[in-house]
Each structure stands twice: as C-alpha cells, then as structure tokens.
Amino acid sequence: VALLQMSKQLSGKRILVTAAGTREPIDPVRYIGNRSSGKMGYAIAQAAAERGAEVILVSGPSGLPTPPGVSVRRVETALQMRDAVLAEFDTVDAVIKAAAVADYRPELAADHKIKKDGETLTVSLIKNPDILLELGQKKKQQILVGFAAETQELLLHARDKLIKKNLDLIIANDVTLPGAGFNVDTNIVKLIDKSGHVEELPQLSKQQIATIVIDKICAMLTKST
Ligand code: CTP
Ligand code: CA
C-alpha cells in the first residue's frame, strides 16, 4: 500500500509540460527551427503520468511517441504554443517548460514559395512573446519550472532567468558539454531552486533527470497544500 501511494503521489494533480522546438514559417515550405528533439520534455511528461498526474503535453513537431496516459496538443509556432499553454494555465498545478521556443519569427511569412531571384536574401525577424515570463507574471498557486540552455556563464544566466521569470525551479543545461543538451539521450544539469540552492547532477539519462525533477515538484506540491 505504501508503495502504491508513493507511485501515485501526483494523482488529482494537473501538470502541463511543453516539449520540442517551435518552427517559425518563412514561406509555405520553409521554417526557422532549432535542434531540440523533445526527449527531455517527453521524459518529464512520462514521469509525471507514471506518478498518477493528469498530464497535458504541448509539443512542437517531434517524432517521439506520446507517453501512455498523456494528452498531447500539437503546435508548430511559438504563438500557437503560447495559446495552447495559456488555455490550460489557470487549471494546472505545475508547468514544466522544456520546449525550445524560437526567440524570433519572420516578421512576414511569404504566401508563396520564395524564388531564388537575388544573390542575397534578407528575412526580417521579430521577437516572439516569452511564454514563461508571461506565466511568471500571471502565476497564482502554480509551481513554475523552466530550463536554461546556455553555452557560457551557466549559473549566472540560469539564476537571472529564475528571478526574472518568477520560477520555483530552473534546470540549467550547458549545451556545449558532450552528453548534454539537444538530441542526445543523456543530460548534465544543475537544478537551482527559488532559495538559490544549487544541486549539481552527474551525467544521467533524460529519464533519470525527469524522475528527479518530478520528485522535486511532488515535494513542492505537497508542501504548498
Ligand atoms: N521560453 C519561453 N518562451 C520564449 C523563450 C523561452 O517560454 N519565447 C522558456 C523556455 O521554454 C525555457 C526558458 O524560457 O524554459 C528559458 O529559455 P532560454 O532559451 O534558455 O532563455 P531565454 O529567456 O529565451 O533567453 P536567451 O535565449 O536569450 O538566453
Ligand atoms: Ca531563447
């Protein structure tokens, strides 16, 4: 009985996870994208579902299978991801934003395929809304967890994002390390909580990291109720 309670400790909780990268159209056949595979976010969604949570996964394009028991909302662009996330935000207990959201999108997507007429081509980009920043400003009781993908000054930049976006936890990710970051099965991360406490994890599988992150969220959710 104790084991069963342990394993279903998130039953009755609604958890929103975002995963994979967004794609920002240039014309009907081209887009600006990034190297995110969705592996980290899908692993987190799965770990939350295994603990009995009702999980909503807002996913950019990804070839990964939907984890059992998870409801997926598929999106392509950052603006679509924002709409899908805001539609659920009021009714969830925690949000984990593992998605790699494009910071900019083409200001105008061409209606027709752009022809290779000129020797150079300039695409003007405009900033996308920062979804996590918006959630941080709106949040009430929700636990907010973000990622920080960095190539330098990892802790400094991650702490800045934790504070600026009003997060409860940030998963800091040096994407230059071998065995970490985009499109690999392992990751090397540091977890920083609101009080500034840093936990450095060794290289682990994304499933193992997902379990650790979900355990932390469990602890935060049980403390706040
Ligand atoms: N994020 C978001 N909306 C955006 C950009 C980022 O919700 N438009 C979220 C990501 O899902 C991630 C966190 O913010 O959880 C940090 O993303 P990251 O790219 O590391 O940081 P940025 O705030 O975008 O800053 P920069 O890219 O300049 O380092
Ligand atoms: Ca960014």
Side-chain angles (χ1 to χ4, degrees), residues 12 34 45 57 61 106 115 138 156 158 171 212:
N34 61 66
L57 175 62
K115 287 303 194 183
K138 290 182 64 152
L156 186 80
I171 301 154
I212 293 169

Side-chain angles (χ1 to χ4, degrees), residues 25-29 108-114:
I26 298 170
D27 70 14
V29 298
L108 285 172
D111 285 337
H112 295 285
K113 188 184 167 204
I114 298 171

Side-chain angles (χ1 to χ4, degrees), residues 18 78 81 96-104 127-135 145-150 157 161 164-165 167 170:
T18 73
M81 182 170 280
I96 304 132
K97 272 220 95 257
V101 184
D103 293 327
Y104 295 88
K127 203 177 237 170
N128 270 327
D130 187 322
I131 304 165
L132 193 52
L133 181 76
E134 214 171 318
L135 299 184
V145 180
F147 277 73
E150 308 292 347
H157 288 137
K161 287 174 189 174
K164 186 172 152 211
K165 304 192 190 201
L167 307 180
I170 195 156

Side-chain angles (χ1 to χ4, degrees), residues 72-183:
V72 196
R73 314 261 191 281
R74 297 206 173 269
V75 299
E76 293 236 331
T77 66
L79 292 177
Q80 290 166 356
M81 182 170 280
R82 174 176 177 270
D83 287 348
V85 165
L86 289 179
E88 303 290 344
F89 188 56
D90 288 344
T91 61
V92 298
D93 300 290
V95 181
I96 304 132
K97 272 220 95 257
V101 184
D103 293 327
Y104 295 88
R105 68 178 180 278
E107 200 165 9
L108 285 172
D111 285 337
H112 295 285
K113 188 184 167 204
I114 298 171
K115 287 303 194 183
K116 53 175 176 184
D117 291 331
E119 284 309 311
T120 63
L121 173 68
T122 304
V123 178
S124 171
L125 303 179
I126 183 168
K127 203 177 237 170
N128 270 327
D130 187 322
I131 304 165
L132 193 52
L133 181 76
E134 214 171 318
L135 299 184
Q137 288 162 350
K138 290 182 64 152
K139 92 168 170 189
K140 298 199 172 78
Q141 80 298 337
Q142 297 93 333
I143 301 286
L144 265 195
V145 180
F147 277 73
E150 308 292 347
T151 59
Q152 55 177 350
E153 300 274 20
L154 179 66
L155 283 178
L156 186 80
H157 288 137
R159 277 201 188 94
D160 278 353
K161 287 174 189 174
L162 175 84
I163 293 163
K164 186 172 152 211
K165 304 192 190 201
N166 194 21
L167 307 180
D168 299 282
L169 183 73
I170 195 156
I171 301 154
N173 200 180
D174 182 339
V175 292
T176 64
L177 295 175
F182 290 155
N183 232 327

Side-chain angles (χ1 to χ4, degrees), residues 192-204:
I192 312 170
D193 68 18
K194 225 169 30 181
S195 70
H197 179 259
V198 181
E199 184 178 348
E200 299 201 14
L201 300 180
Q203 180 170 349
L204 294 171

